[in-house]
């Protein structure tokens, strides 16, 4: 099982949804970075359950404990170990799932691959394991902050309710002012109401998270198999419930002609840039110095609080109704996870790029 991500700045994660704790080890963190523990905790608080009426009611404080790699408030350059203890598991809620395969979950595939599975909340396949990504992402953000690189994700669509796709038309500082994490307050209210209706039906719904990376220097990424957009895509597609990734104009640009699609180069005060940014800040697999923009599609959460048909581990038809505490829509809590994986990827590639030229 591959549990590590990155090349120089790396994250190795461990833990399960209903185990004693989840955690990880971050290696390659540059020395001398100010480690703001309050900021790291605030990033976890954005992901934690029980935030609002549209998230799971699981009551976890999600307090992070740094175990190594930090001395007198600064990173030492040594591995940073950390844990977040699980304190509010209701494992009995999953007992009726012990011997059957939940639709669109990893139950069947895990059993086929490993010969057994942890049925309590999905075990290793649970989105709770993304806690480790948020901690590593917060550490990466602290390093990127010193480089003038910022990352902002937001909910762009829930179901069929979508905001203007051009991020320039939004005040992204409004993202954290509502439970949905959408920078359009009116659309956010509509999205929240939709999620509440879906939740009342025992159903779930998906949507799209958009992300903007500002201040990224030109030159990150490789021209062949390490393309920056491919690395970002791999990072996003590793997040639970993600079904699609696009950057720049993405699929929306396929109907345009090249004469409209091309980003024309210009020069201002000796600095070369592009007049438009339809490429999403990446050309030839390498960052070009413009803002990097991408979108991530999330499917509806697979756990429904309604009766579904399935089979047990012997292949016998059966029905079941999930119990427990689950998100009707994953997007509000996934926004910080998208940011975290983007931060890890960008910092890693920044460090890789430093080794490619004098």
């Amino acid at each position: 099982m591959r549990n590590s991500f990155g090349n120089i700045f790396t994250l190795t994660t461990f833990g399960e949804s209903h185990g004693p704790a989840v955690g990880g080890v971050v290696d390659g963190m540059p020395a001398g970075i100010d480690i703001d523990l309050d900021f790291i905790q605030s990033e976890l608080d954005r992901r934690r359950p029980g935030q609002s009426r549209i998230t799971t009611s699981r009551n976890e404080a999600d307090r992070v404990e740094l175990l190594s790699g930090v001395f007198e408030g600064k990173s030492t350059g040594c591995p940073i170990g950390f844990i977040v203890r699980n304190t509010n598991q209701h494992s009995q809620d999953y007992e009726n799932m012990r011997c059957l395969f939940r639709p669109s979950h990893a139950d069947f595939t895990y059993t086929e691959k490993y010969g057994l599975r942890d049925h309590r909340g999905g075990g290793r396949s649970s989105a709770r394991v993304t806690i480790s990504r948020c901690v590593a992402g917060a550490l990466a953000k602290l390093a990127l902050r010193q480089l003038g690189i910022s990352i902002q994700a937001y909910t762009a669509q829930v179901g069929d309710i979508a905001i203007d796709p051009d991020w320039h038309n939004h005040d992204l500082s409004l993202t954290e002012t509502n439970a949905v994490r959408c920078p359009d307050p009116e659309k956010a209210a509509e999205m929240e109401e939709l999620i509440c209706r879906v939740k009342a039906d025992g159903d779930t719904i998906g949507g799209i998270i958009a992300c903007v990376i500002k201040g990224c220097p030109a030159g990150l990424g490789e021209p062949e198999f390490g393309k920056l957009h491919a690395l970002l895509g791999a990072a996003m597609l590793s997040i639970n419930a993600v079904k699609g990734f696009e950057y720049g104009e993405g699929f929306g640009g396929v109907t345009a002609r090249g004469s409209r699609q091309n980003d024309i180069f210009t020069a201002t005060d000796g600095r070369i840039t592009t007049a438009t940014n339809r490429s999403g800040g990446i050309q030839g697999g390498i960052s070009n110095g413009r803002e990097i923009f991408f979108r991530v599609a999330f499917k509806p959460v697979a756990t429904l609080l309604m009766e579904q048909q399935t089979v047990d581990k012997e292949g016998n038809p059966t029905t079941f109704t999930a119990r427990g505490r689950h998100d009707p829509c994953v997007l509000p809590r996934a926004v910080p996870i998208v940011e975290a994986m983007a931060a890890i990827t960008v910092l890693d590639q920044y460090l890789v790029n430093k080794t490619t030229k004098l």
Side-chain angles (χ1 to χ4, degrees):
M1 181 181 288
R2 184 175 179 182
N3 299 298
S4 298
F5 181 85
N7 297 280
I8 294 178
F9 182 89
T10 65
L11 166 66
T12 301
T13 71
F14 64 84
E16 296 84 31
S17 175
H18 286 235
V22 296
V25 177
V26 169
D27 205 357
M29 180 73 174
I33 303 297
D34 292 327
I35 303 300
D36 184 343
L37 188 58
D38 289 338
F39 171 74
I40 297 172
Q41 186 59 55
S42 71
E43 291 293 275
L44 275 181
D45 290 345
R46 296 171 67 208
R47 194 223 72 95
R48 78 175 185 86
Q51 296 179 43
S52 69
R53 62 175 182 158
I54 59 173
T55 63
T56 172
S57 60
R58 180 168 176 169
N59 184 21
E60 294 276 9
D62 285 354
R63 306 302 298 182
V64 62
E65 302 173 39
L66 300 185
L67 306 178
S68 62
V70 179
F71 180 68
E72 295 184 343
K74 292 184 180 293
S75 58
T76 64
C78 298
I80 299 177
F82 62 89
I83 62 170
V84 173
R85 300 181 190 277
N86 295 327
T87 62
N88 192 234
Q89 310 97 311
H90 287 181
S91 299
Q92 67 277 7
D93 288 343
Y94 298 88
E95 193 57 34
N96 68 326
M97 305 175 193
R98 177 187 289 272
C99 297
L100 54 79
F101 299 129
R102 295 170 295 170
S104 288
H105 283 77
D107 299 345
F108 173 74
T109 52
Y110 266 51
T111 301
E112 287 294 296
K113 184 174 181 65
Y114 299 107
L116 74 165
R117 79 176 202 273
D118 183 348
H119 67 282
R120 304 166 304 166
R124 186 70 174 154
S125 68
S126 170
R128 184 154 180 77
V129 180
T130 59
I131 283 174
S132 301
R133 301 173 184 228
C134 286
V135 175
L139 291 167
K141 282 185 177 182
L142 291 173
L144 293 174
R145 182 186 294 175
Q146 297 194 14
L147 300 172
I149 301 173
S150 65
I151 299 172
Q152 172 75 69
Y154 57 91
T155 298
Q157 183 170 339
V158 173
D160 60 357
I161 302 173
I163 65 175
D164 187 325
D166 188 346
W167 66 268
H168 295 90
N169 295 331
H170 302 290
D171 180 356
L172 299 188
S173 68
L174 298 177
T175 299
E176 295 293 321
T177 63
N178 56 75
V180 186
R181 293 197 163 90
C182 172
D184 183 324
E186 292 185 6
K187 290 291 187 180
E190 294 179 30
M191 292 174 181
E192 183 169 351
E193 181 59 33
L194 173 59
I195 295 172
C196 286
R197 293 200 307 270
V198 168
K199 181 180 180 180
D201 292 338
D203 215 333
T204 62
I205 198 163
I208 295 173
I209 290 176
C211 186
V212 183
I213 304 174
K214 298 180 181 179
C216 185
L220 303 193
E222 302 292 334
E224 183 60 14
F225 296 116
K227 290 178 169 62
L228 183 57
H229 58 266
L231 298 173
L232 285 168
M236 299 306 139
L237 289 164
S238 74
I239 300 172
N240 306 56
V242 169
K243 303 299 285 186
F245 171 84
E246 64 177 0
Y247 72 104
E249 291 207 346
F251 290 104
V254 301
T255 59
R257 297 189 179 189
S259 55
R260 174 197 170 276
Q261 189 74 1
N262 282 353
D263 292 317
I264 304 302
F265 284 104
T266 64
T268 303
D269 299 327
R271 178 178 177 271
I272 297 176
T273 185
T274 57
T276 55
N277 190 22
R278 299 183 181 99
S279 300
I282 302 172
Q283 294 173 323
I286 301 171
S287 61
N288 66 5
R290 291 296 302 268
E291 298 92 346
I292 295 173
F293 177 75
F294 62 85
R295 289 159 40 103
V296 186
F298 285 79
K299 71 173 184 176
V301 177
T303 301
L304 312 181
L305 300 181
M306 60 173 63
E307 186 175 85
Q308 296 184 83
Q309 294 181 334
T310 187
V311 298
D312 63 22
K313 61 183 181 181
E314 305 300 330
N316 301 309
T318 186
T319 61
F320 88 107
T321 300
R323 298 194 294 263
R325 302 156 296 174
H326 306 281
D327 288 286
C329 178
V330 75
L331 274 77
R333 295 175 60 211
V335 166
I337 303 169
V338 167
E339 290 181 3
M341 293 307 295
I344 293 169
T345 303
V346 170
L347 178 58
D348 184 46
Q349 287 305 296
Y350 179 86
L351 296 173
V352 168
N353 196 52
K354 288 180 63 177
T355 69
T356 62
K357 60 183 179 180
L358 296 177

